[in-house]
Amino acid sequence: QVQLVESGGGLVQAGGSLRLSCAASERTFSSYAMGWFRQAPGKEREFVAAITWTAGITYYTNSVQGRFTISRDKAKNTVYLQMNSLKPEDTATYYCAAHVDGNIYKSSRYNQWGQGTQVTVSS
């Protein structure tokens, strides 16, 4: 079974940067894309960004557009989320997930999830 392992979270001051990584134990051949979601305490899990494996087409939620960059290294089966100009409202647990089909913005269209990595942005 494919495992997704996130890393790179931590505590950073507002305006700082972090890079998250998501390593897959093997190529998720059945997935069209990989995505990042986040969930803050008391809130629903929300879409952050996604990237297609083959063409590298990217998708972002409006609140991170221009600040976050998603990328992938196919040789390493790894997806990255570079987060710049971080804000306190970016504080959440970040999850990577493998997209199966359908609406790429919907968490229900992802069938494999990592354990999450905590990102805390202090003001």
Side-chain angles (χ1 to χ4, degrees):
Q1 183 174 351
V2 175
Q3 290 184 324
L4 302 176
V5 180
E6 301 100 334
S7 61
L11 173 64
V12 64
Q13 289 187 333
S17 299
L18 285 173
R19 189 176 82 154
L20 306 183
S21 299
C22 173
S25 59
E26 64 183 68
R27 170 71 163 86
T28 52
F29 290 105
S30 63
S31 68
Y32 169 72
M34 296 293 292
W36 286 96
F37 288 76
R38 65 187 180 187
Q39 187 167 19
K43 295 188 177 181
E44 293 186 353
R45 188 169 298 188
E46 65 170 348
F47 173 84
V48 177
I51 186 167
T52 62
W53 271 119
T54 302
I57 299 171
T58 59
Y59 305 80
Y60 297 96
T61 191
N62 288 342
S63 62
V64 308
Q65 185 78 44
R67 299 189 298 123
F68 292 10
T69 302
I70 189 170
S71 61
R72 87 274 191 247
D73 185 329
K74 291 188 286 184
K76 295 182 179 180
N77 295 337
T78 300
V79 176
Y80 304 97
L81 185 67
Q82 177 67 45
M83 305 185 295
N84 299 327
S85 302
L86 282 162
K87 304 175 181 180
E89 51 264 42
D90 294 317
T91 296
T93 301
Y94 284 69
Y95 300 89
C96 71
H99 174 262
V100 179
D101 58 21
N103 192 326
I104 206 167
Y105 298 94
K106 297 293 186 182
S107 60
S108 61
R109 305 318 306 159
Y110 292 74
N111 65 344
Q112 296 170 40
W113 293 82
Q115 82 288 350
T117 185
Q118 179 66 37
V119 171
T120 303
V121 184
S122 62
S123 57

